[in-house]
Amino acid sequence: MILSEIEKQKIGKIAQVLAKSPEAFGAEALARLFVTHPGSKSYFDYKDYSAAGAKVQVHGGKVIRAVVKAAEHLDDLHSHLEGLALIHGKKLLVDPQNFPMLSECIIVTLATHLADFCPATHCAIDKLLSAICQELSSRYR
């Protein structure tokens, strides 16, 4: 992944924002995923699929913390995404097609909360999330 210095700075700023409330951002993004792509629910055994759902918040927080970690280690996504690819030491069984859809939901969530979410920020975070999707999807081939 090739990022300009400006893109790296924008990703760093977004990572700082995400790190302050990973559960809130993650839960909202997951809830969006479940509403816009209801088939994605089949991979989760939740009673409450809303952003207020306890399991949605825990899972969303884990995803966003992994995004923050990736943003802090742009040079080595492979080893820094290991925690997201494994749960309790086992390979995460998730359809790789859900990764890009969740990325879109993360971007929409950010855009709705950040007044300074400009096209350049959108492009930078999209590059990061696309690289994360590619890395995670490569683990399931």
Side-chain angles (χ1 to χ4, degrees):
M1 166 176 57
I2 299 173
L3 296 168
S4 69
E5 285 305 313
I6 292 172
E7 289 171 326
K8 289 177 184 177
Q9 290 171 3
K10 291 190 178 295
I11 289 170
K13 287 180 183 178
I14 292 290
Q16 289 174 349
V17 170
L18 290 173
K20 291 178 184 175
S21 301
E23 286 80 12
F25 282 108
E28 186 174 332
L30 276 176
R32 276 182 208 286
L33 175 69
F34 297 143
V35 169
T36 58
H37 304 283
S40 63
K41 290 181 187 177
S42 65
Y43 296 96
F44 302 92
D45 185 24
Y46 299 162
K47 290 183 174 142
D48 183 357
Y49 288 91
S50 74
K55 288 186 176 183
V56 174
Q57 289 182 7
V58 169
H59 188 96
K62 181 179 175 107
V63 169
I64 294 301
R65 279 189 290 281
V67 170
V68 169
K69 190 172 184 181
E72 294 168 347
H73 301 283
L74 296 171
D75 57 332
D76 187 13
L77 292 181
H78 182 76
S79 61
H80 288 94
L81 289 173
E82 194 65 29
L84 189 59
L86 298 173
I87 292 182
H88 306 297
K90 297 179 182 175
K91 191 173 185 179
L92 183 61
L93 300 175
V94 177
D95 186 344
Q97 291 179 359
N98 283 341
F99 299 144
M101 294 183 305
L102 179 57
S103 292
E104 290 174 11
C105 292
I106 291 170
I107 289 171
V108 171
T109 299
L110 287 167
T112 62
H113 287 281
L114 305 176
D116 60 346
F117 195 83
C118 65
T121 301
H122 181 169
C123 289
I125 198 68
D126 187 48
K127 278 186 178 182
L128 171 64
L129 293 172
S130 294
I132 291 171
C133 290
Q134 183 177 11
E135 175 60 36
L136 292 175
S137 293
S138 72
R139 295 171 190 248
Y140 300 101
R141 290 182 186 154

